[in-house]
Amino acid sequence: MIHTLTVGQLLTFGLLTLALAALWLPGRREIDGTGARVSRRVTQPWIISLVAAVACGLFFGFVDWWGVLAIVGMGVASWGVYRKEMHPGLRALSGGAVVALAAGLALHVVPGFDNPK
């Protein structure tokens, strides 16, 4: 069975797909103040695409402000897992929050999302 997609669905989920694909862009090699070469990921394309996808989701009614709060919470929890200087207990708590939010979003039980299943 083929479903007809609306413009809102194509735009919102297309931008979300673009944000995910942009994560695979290669990092840039730069030289820091000590002369060492460091690699930095190009962050702007995926952030811009993600913000645009969330804005389209709000506009077209696929997500409300509770859903945006869940997305921000997932970002904050992911940042907590990434920060190596944080206390290991806080990093573990952040990891648990990431797993719980990811499962809730995947199962469509997090309030604030009204996307096609």
Side-chain angles (χ1 to χ4, degrees):
M1 180 175 184
I2 298 176
H3 294 278
T4 304
L5 297 176
T6 65
V7 172
Q9 289 172 327
L10 285 173
L11 191 57
T12 301
F13 294 107
L15 285 167
L16 187 58
T17 302
L18 185 62
L20 290 171
L23 288 171
W24 291 90
L25 289 174
R28 295 177 294 189
R29 296 265 181 206
E30 297 177 355
I31 298 177
D32 66 3
T34 64
R37 295 186 76 180
V38 294
S39 179
R40 293 201 173 98
R41 178 176 293 235
V42 179
T43 56
Q44 290 82 7
W46 75 266
I47 291 174
I48 292 167
S49 298
L50 179 62
V51 169
V54 171
C56 284
L58 275 168
F59 181 77
F60 290 110
F62 298 120
V63 65
D64 66 16
W65 290 105
W66 287 108
V68 173
L69 184 63
I71 293 169
V72 170
M74 178 75 123
V76 169
S78 298
W79 175 81
V81 172
Y82 176 74
R83 302 288 295 189
K84 290 184 175 31
E85 63 272 2
M86 282 182 63
H87 187 275
L90 287 175
R91 288 183 66 200
L93 186 64
S94 294
V98 168
V99 170
L101 277 169
L105 291 169
L107 294 171
H108 300 269
V109 295
V110 174
F113 286 93
D114 186 27
N115 57 343
K117 295 181 181 178

